[in-house]
């Protein structure tokens, strides 16, 4: 199945391309899904490729609208600055955004300091433990809901969170596992804890109130997973640390 432009109802088209083009919001801070072309400086990556494919199926030109952090992308939803956004599906964000099922999943865990007594994920949520984390990331929102004893030290972006973790000698750094692998290499003796405290569900969102467009996007996401397009796009971009999300009915919640 190819959810192409012949399948688009007038209502869905109006929701997805209200200005005559498809404005695709992306999080430039997620190096797994976005990057900048080294020659042109233009955005590229998995989210950009899948956004352009969506535009192709709609028969509409695509404008990429980049944001430095996922929080800024999510916060812009009510403004109408973008029509579809590629970001982690999260209950707090769902107040303003309708999400599809995930198209990829990314494991989130902790990096701990050299010599740390924290050996397992269950050791982290204890009184006195301080965790560096990028603010308004999907996994920060998850930890804010679920941690009972540990304290979060929030900062803007992954680089700043790693700097805070190192310089302030915090106990743990929360992050996406592929990013933590890179941070681990910069801090000899540090360890990445086994397992995951959540898997971030990377999805496509549309501002609330655009229900017809949301239904089209849901079908699009299931199609690109089932057809193998998501897997091929991951391979073509040479990304490691992502897994294709299961079909919507088979999704596992944390």
């Amino acid at each position: 199945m190819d959810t192409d432009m012949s399948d688009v109802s007038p209502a869905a088209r109006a929701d997805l391309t209200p200005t005559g083009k498809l404005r695709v919001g992306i999080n430039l801070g997620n190096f797994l899904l976005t990057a900048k072309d080294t020659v042109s400086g233009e955005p590229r990556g998995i989210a950009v490729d899948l956004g352009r494919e969506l535009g192709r199926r709609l028969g509409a030109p695509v404008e990429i609208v980049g944001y430095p952090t996922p929080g800024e992308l999510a916060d812009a939803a009510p403004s109408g600055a973008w029509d579809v956004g590629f970001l982690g599906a999260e209950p707090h964000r769902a107040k303003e955004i309708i999400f599809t099922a995930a198209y990829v999943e990314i494991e989130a865990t902790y990096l701990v300091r050299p010599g740390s007594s924290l050996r397992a994920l269950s050791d982290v949520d204890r009184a006195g433990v301080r965790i560096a984390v990028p603010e308004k990331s999907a996994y920060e929102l998850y930890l804010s809901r679920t941690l009972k004893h540990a304290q979060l030290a929030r900062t803007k972006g992954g680089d700043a969170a790693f700097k805070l973790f190192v310089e302030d000698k915090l106990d743990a750094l929360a992050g996406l596992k592929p990013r933590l692998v890179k941070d681990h290499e910069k801090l000899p003796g540090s360890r990445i804890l086994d397992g995951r405290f959540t898997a971030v569900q990377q999805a496509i969102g549309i501002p609330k109130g655009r229900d017809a467009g949301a239904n089209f996007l849901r079908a699009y996401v299931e199609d690109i997973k089932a057809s193998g397009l998501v897997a091929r796009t991951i391979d073509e971009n040479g990304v490691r640390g992502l897994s294709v999300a299961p079909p919507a009915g088979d999704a596992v919640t944390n």
Side-chain angles (χ1 to χ4, degrees), residues 52-223:
R52 293 196 185 283
E53 172 63 14
L54 177 60
R56 185 192 70 79
R57 297 189 186 193
L58 292 169
V62 172
E63 177 186 345
I64 303 299
V65 185
Y67 293 86
T69 67
E72 289 168 276
L73 171 56
D75 289 347
S79 74
W82 51 264
D83 302 311
V84 298
F86 284 73
L87 72 170
E90 229 289 330
H92 178 76
R93 295 173 182 167
K95 296 174 184 177
E96 301 288 350
I97 300 169
I98 305 171
F99 286 103
T100 67
Y103 63 96
V104 293
E105 298 177 327
I106 315 173
E107 292 189 346
T109 184
Y110 300 107
L111 180 72
V112 298
R113 304 185 61 77
S116 173
S117 63
L118 303 176
R119 311 299 299 182
L121 294 173
S122 58
D123 295 336
V124 178
D125 191 11
R126 294 178 178 176
V129 172
R130 298 180 301 159
I131 304 167
V133 62
E135 65 182 4
K136 294 188 177 181
S137 60
Y139 49 92
E140 182 267 310
L141 296 172
Y142 175 84
L143 291 173
S144 294
R145 294 197 310 273
T146 58
L147 288 177
K148 294 180 171 56
H149 306 290
Q151 177 184 354
L152 292 176
R154 301 171 180 85
T155 190
K156 192 170 182 177
D159 291 342
F162 178 72
K163 183 178 179 181
L164 181 67
F165 168 63
V166 173
E167 294 185 355
D168 286 18
K169 295 182 169 55
L170 302 190
D171 302 288
L173 170 64
L176 301 177
K177 191 170 184 179
R179 164 69 195 235
L180 294 182
V181 169
K182 295 177 180 294
D183 290 335
H184 161 67
E185 293 171 354
K186 294 186 288 187
L187 186 62
S190 61
R191 288 181 291 107
I192 297 172
L193 297 187
D194 291 336
R196 69 188 195 188
F197 60 77
T198 190
V200 177
Q201 307 291 300
Q202 289 290 337
I204 307 178
I206 188 170
K208 277 245 173 132
R210 304 191 196 183
D211 293 343
N215 287 334
F216 183 87
L217 285 178
R218 292 187 184 104
Y220 172 70
V221 165
E222 295 312 304
D223 180 61

